[in-house]
C-alpha cells in the first residue's frame, strides 16, 4: 500500500468499503489498492490490478507495499467528539462506578476548567487526543464546542477546533451555565444572538443537548433554526438519558444526524427510517468534500446494499462509549437497522460521559452489546460516520475517495470485535500520508 504517486497495496485479504463487486458488504479478498495524489486511484482484486493500474496510471506504481495477509479498511470517521476541553473527571467516573448516576450537570466542572485554560493548553489537549485517535485508525474527526458557554469562550473553542478539522460544531447550547441558572431562556437568547454570530464563521454545524437537565425541545428548536439561518448544518444530542421529542425534531429539521438514541419510541424509529425513504429534505453545512446532494450515496447507505435513491436522511449516531462509561443500557442498533434506519458509530470522546477516543472499542461494543454484525459495525464506524457528516469523500475506499487507510495487524476486520482491547492498528495513512 500506498503513499504519494502510484503506490500499490497487494495481498490484502480484505479491503472493506471498496465498491462491492459481488459482496454487498464491500469486502474484496486478495485485494489491491492504488493510492495516487492523496486519493484512491484504483481498488479491487489483485488478479485485476495489473490491468487496472496500467489503465489509471499508465505505468508501474512508484512503490509497492506488501501487506502480507493483513486487512485494510477505510480510516474511521468519528462524527461526534467534544475535544476542546481542559481537566478530567476521573473522580466523577469513580463515584459513578460506586453507584452515583450520570447527570448532565457534571458538564459544568469541565466548563470551569476550560474557561481557566490558556489557548495553548487547549491546543495541546486537542493535539494529544487527535494523535491518540489517529493511532487507533481515526482519520476524520468532528469536534464540538460546548465547554466555554460564554461568547468569548465558545468563539475560542470553535476557532481552535477549526485549526484541526473542517468538521466543527457549535454547541453553545450544551447546558445552561451556572451564571444563567433559572434564566435558561435568556441564555438561549445569547446562544441564538451574539454567540452564534461569533461562532458561525468557524463552524460547519450547530448542535443542542436536547434532554431533561439541558434544553427543552422548544429551546432546542430555536437554537437549531437560528443556526440553520446562519448557514450551519443541523445535528442534535437526544435520547441519551430518556425518551423525548428530540429525535423527531431532528428529523423534522432535516438534521444530518441525531446522536445517542439510547431511548427511542417506536415513532422515533419510524421517523429515522422514514427520513431515508421519504422525499428528502436537508440542511447541510458546506465544506470541501461535502456533496451537493447532501452526501447521500445511494449505493452505500446500508450494509445490505439497499438503495434509497436520491434522498437525504438523518443518521442515528450511536455512542457505545457512553453506555460503557455511565453503566446505562446500550442503544438497540438492531431495532434501528431492521426498521431501515441508517446507523453511525462514534466515540463521543469527552471527559465526562465517554473518555475514549477508540473507534475499535466502539466497534467491539456495538457487536457485543448492540446486536450489530461485524460488517454493520465497521460500516457504521466508517461510511456511516461519513453520512452523518454528509461527506462522500471519506469512509470508503472506492476510486476517488480520500486516501485514508487503516492497515490492521490482523487477517480480517472481524478481529476488531473478536479480540477486543488488542492494539490492531498497524499503520494509518491520512490523505495518502503515513501517520507517524
Ligand atoms: O455527549 N450529552 C451531552 N454531552 C456529552 C457529555 C459531556 C460531559 O459529560 O461532559 C455527551 O455525552
Ligand atoms: Fe456528545
Amino acid at each position: 500500500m500506498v503513499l504519494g504517486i502510484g503506490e500499490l497495496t497487494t495481498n490484502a485479504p480484505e479491503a472493506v468499503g471498496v465498491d462491492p463487486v459481488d459482496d454487498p458488504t464491500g469486502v474484496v479478498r486478495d485485494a489491491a489498492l492504488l493510492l495516487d495524489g492523496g486519493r484512491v486511484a484504483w481498488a479491487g482484486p489483485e488478479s485485476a490490478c495489473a490491468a487496472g493500474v496500467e489503465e489509471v496510471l499508465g505505468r508501474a506504481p512508484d512503490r509497492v507495499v506488501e501487506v502480507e495477509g493483513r486487512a485494510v479498511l477505510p480510516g474511521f470517521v468519528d462524527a461526534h467528539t467534544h475535544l476542546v476541553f481542559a481537566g478530567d473527571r476521573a473522580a466523577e467516573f469513580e463515584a459513578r462506578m460506586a453507584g452515583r448516576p450520570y447527570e448532565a450537570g457534571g458538564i459544568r466542572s469541565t466548563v470551569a476548567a476550560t474557561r481557566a485554560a490558556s489557548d495553548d493548553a487547549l491546543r495541546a489537549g486537542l493535539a494529544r487526543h487527535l494523535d491518540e485517535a489517529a493511532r487507533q485508525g481515526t482519520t476524520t474527526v468532528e469536534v464540538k464546542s460546548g465547554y466555554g458557554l460564554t461568547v468569548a469562550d465558545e468563539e475560542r473553542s470553535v476557532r481552535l477546533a477549526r485549526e484541526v478539522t473542517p468538521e466543527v460544531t457549535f454547541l453553545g447550547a450544551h447546558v445552561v451555565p451556572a451564571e444563567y441558572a433559572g434564566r435558561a431562556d435568556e441564555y438561549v437568547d445569547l446562544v441564538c444572538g451574539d454567540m452564534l454570530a461569533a461562532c458561525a464563521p468557524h463552524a460547519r454545524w450547530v448542535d443542542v443537548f436536547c434532554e431533561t437537565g439541558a434544553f427543552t425541545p422548544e429551546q432546542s428548536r430555536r437554537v437549531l433554526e437560528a443556526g440553520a439561518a446562519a448557514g450551519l448544518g443541523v445535528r442534535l444530542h437526544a435520547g441519551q438519558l430518556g425518551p423525548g421529542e428530540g429525535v423527531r425534531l431532528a428529523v423534522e429539521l432535516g438534521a444530518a444526524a441525531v446522536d445517542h438514541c439510547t431511548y427511542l419510541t417506536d415513532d422515533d424509529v419510524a421517523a429515522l427510517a422514514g427520513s431515508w425513504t421519504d422525499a428528502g429534505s436537508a440542511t447541510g453545512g458546506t465544506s470541501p468534500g461535502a456533496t451537493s446532494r447532501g452526501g447521500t450515496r445511494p449505493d452505500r447507505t446500508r450494509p445490505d446494499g439497499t438503495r434509497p435513491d436520491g434522498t437525504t436522511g438523518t443518521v442515528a449516531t450511536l455512542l457505545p462509549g457512553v453506555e460503557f462509561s455511565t453503566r446505562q443500557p446500550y442503544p438497540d442498533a438492531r431495532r434501528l437497522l431492521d426498521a431501515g434506519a441508517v446507523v453511525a458509530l462514534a466515540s463521543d470522546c469527552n471527559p465526562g460521559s465517554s473518555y475514549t477516543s477508540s473507534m475499535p472499542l466502539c466497534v467491539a461494543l456495538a457487536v457485543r452489546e448492540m446486536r450489530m454484525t461485524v460488517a454493520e459495525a465497521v460500516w457504521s464506524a466508517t461510511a456511516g460516520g461519513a453520512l452523518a457528516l454528509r461527506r462522500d469523500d471519506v469512509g470508503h475506499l472506492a476510486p476517488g475517495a480520500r486516501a485514508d487507510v487503516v492497515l490492521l495487524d490482523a487477517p480480517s476486520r472481524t478481529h476488531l470485535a473478536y479480540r477486543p482491547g488488542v492494539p490492531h492498528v498497524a499503520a494509518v495513512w491520512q490523505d495518502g500520508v503515513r501517520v507517524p
Side-chain angles (χ1 to χ4, degrees), residues 80 82 144 237 260 319 348 350:
H80 186 140
H82 303 249
K144 299 176 199 299
H237 284 68
H260 287 284
L319 311 167
D348 197 11
N350 76 79

Side-chain angles (χ1 to χ4, degrees), residues 146-413:
Y147 292 120
L149 310 187
T150 65
V151 173
D153 287 302
E154 283 296 302
E155 189 275 340
R156 172 168 81 141
S157 297
V158 288
R159 182 165 39 81
L160 296 179
R162 188 65 189 83
E163 291 177 2
V164 297
T165 181
E167 301 298 345
V168 175
T169 299
F170 167 51
L171 180 59
H174 197 184
V175 283
V176 177
E179 62 273 21
Y180 276 86
R183 297 186 294 139
D185 285 325
E186 275 178 55
Y187 181 66
V188 171
D189 291 342
L190 177 70
V191 171
C192 296
D194 290 352
M195 199 183 277
L196 175 64
C199 293
H202 305 290
R204 183 177 177 221
W205 304 100
V206 62
D207 191 349
V208 179
F209 186 14
C210 180
E211 196 84 41
T212 303
F215 295 91
T216 66
E218 294 71 29
Q219 291 164 341
S220 302
R221 176 187 290 276
R222 280 185 61 202
V223 172
L224 297 175
E225 288 182 345
L232 303 180
V234 170
R235 47 204 321 110
L236 194 56
H237 284 68
Q240 176 184 359
L241 304 174
E245 293 166 42
V247 172
R248 273 155 295 146
L249 178 65
V251 172
E252 180 200 324
L253 296 179
V258 55
D259 299 11
H260 287 284
C261 293
T262 304
Y263 295 91
L264 296 176
T265 64
D266 289 345
D267 285 349
D268 292 337
V269 174
L272 287 165
S275 75
W276 293 91
T277 49
D278 301 341
S281 63
T283 58
T286 52
S287 85
T291 61
S292 55
R293 65 178 188 276
T296 304
R297 291 179 56 85
D299 56 337
R300 55 177 62 257
T301 50
R302 298 180 180 114
D304 67 2
T306 314
R307 298 179 177 212
D309 290 332
T311 56
T312 302
T314 299
V315 173
T317 305
L318 309 183
L319 311 167
V322 173
E323 283 71 34
F324 180 85
S325 302
T326 60
R327 282 212 183 118
Q328 293 283 307
Y330 287 89
D332 188 348
R334 183 83 271 128
R335 180 181 176 210
L336 285 161
L337 291 166
D338 288 350
V342 175
V343 170
L345 291 170
S347 72
D348 197 11
C349 187
N350 76 79
S353 65
S354 179
Y355 198 6
T356 179
S357 58
S358 173
M359 291 296 279
L361 173 67
C362 296
V363 167
L365 291 173
V367 171
R368 174 63 185 84
E369 305 287 349
M370 289 156 54
R371 302 203 289 151
M372 295 183 90
T373 67
V374 171
E376 287 166 343
V378 172
W379 187 94
S380 292
T382 52
L387 280 175
L389 295 172
R390 295 201 166 147
R391 296 273 298 264
D392 71 356
D393 59 330
V394 295
H396 64 97
L397 294 176
R402 222 170 66 167
D404 290 349
V405 179
V406 171
L407 173 65
L408 296 184
D409 197 5
S412 78
R413 60 187 176 183

